[in-house]
Amino acid sequence: MRRLTRLMLVGSLAILQQIHLSHRVSFFAAAGGTSDGSEGDDDDFLAEILAEEARQEEEHAKMEAEAREFDAMKARQPSGGGIPNMNRGKPKMGGAGGNFSKMEEDLKRREAESATKRATQEEELNAEKAEKIRQQREARFERELQKMNQDQRKKEVAAKKRDAKVVQRILKFHKAGRHYAVLGIRNFEVQIGPYYIFNLAVGPFALFRVKTKAIKRVYRNLARTVHPDKNRDGRAEEAFHALESSAAILTDDKKRSDYDKRLTSARRRRNKYAIDKLVDVSSVAWNRSAQTVRVAKKFLGPFSTPILVIGALII
């Protein structure tokens, strides 16, 4: 709209200038060109008129170009109204969005790799520290044996073997993430439910659940056996920390609940895998048996049925 107003003003000025020039030409024509000026002055005046007309023609061409541009803008507007499409001219976000998603995935992957690397490094440092402590304890135990007589040495070596069995069991189950087995507890817990009755949830119910008090009692007894001051094995300190870690999980209600959920989920996956394998093996065995029966009937003819029955009885 602003451009249209500008075009109208420029056109009005051009018309007024044309009228003014025509009046000036008429006045000098009526005077017959015999005024005080000479022919050179008349030529200059005509040159000025021609230059003014050329300038007007240039402005007129510019006005026409702007009018065509305005018409083109109107043609590009949506038919439903005069508001232009605001999305026109903006870059599409498909490529940028895809690049952003790719960058986010790369960042997550790098963070996961960094976390895995840090965990591996920390595990290696802990293993080196534990090995150093084991070597120190073993060297100290050997120095103590040198101070004993033969009978005392035999007793200490036998006691060290018993301690080593307890330590190895704790470390083995802790590495596998079996916290109940670390404490030597058999977990026969069974969860029933929940059941829904008229949109009301009843349960779940836990049967054969080991009480926290019993877990603490087992932990105290086992901790006295594995304590580095009592246990003679070189990895007793490492086993004692593993025992503390497992007991901390099983004596905390929330951590124990999360751990039990993971155990239940893993048990279900394992059972499902076993059932699927059993079904596959049974299907293969059935298909091969059926194929064997068909081949036997084809070759044995009418004697196939009694022979197969006798063979089945013998097997």
Side-chain angles (χ1 to χ4, degrees), residues 16-30 45:
L16 291 175
Q17 289 177 357
Q18 185 69 30
I19 294 172
H20 178 67
L21 287 175
S22 61
H23 279 295
R24 289 181 63 182
V25 172
S26 301
F27 174 78
F28 282 102
F45 179 73

Side-chain angles (χ1 to χ4, degrees), residues 46-66:
L46 290 175
E48 182 180 353
I49 293 174
L50 294 174
E52 183 70 19
E53 288 179 353
R55 186 181 64 80
Q56 289 180 3
E57 288 178 358
E58 183 180 355
E59 289 182 357
H60 183 68
K62 186 177 180 180
M63 289 168 58
E64 288 181 351
E66 291 179 354

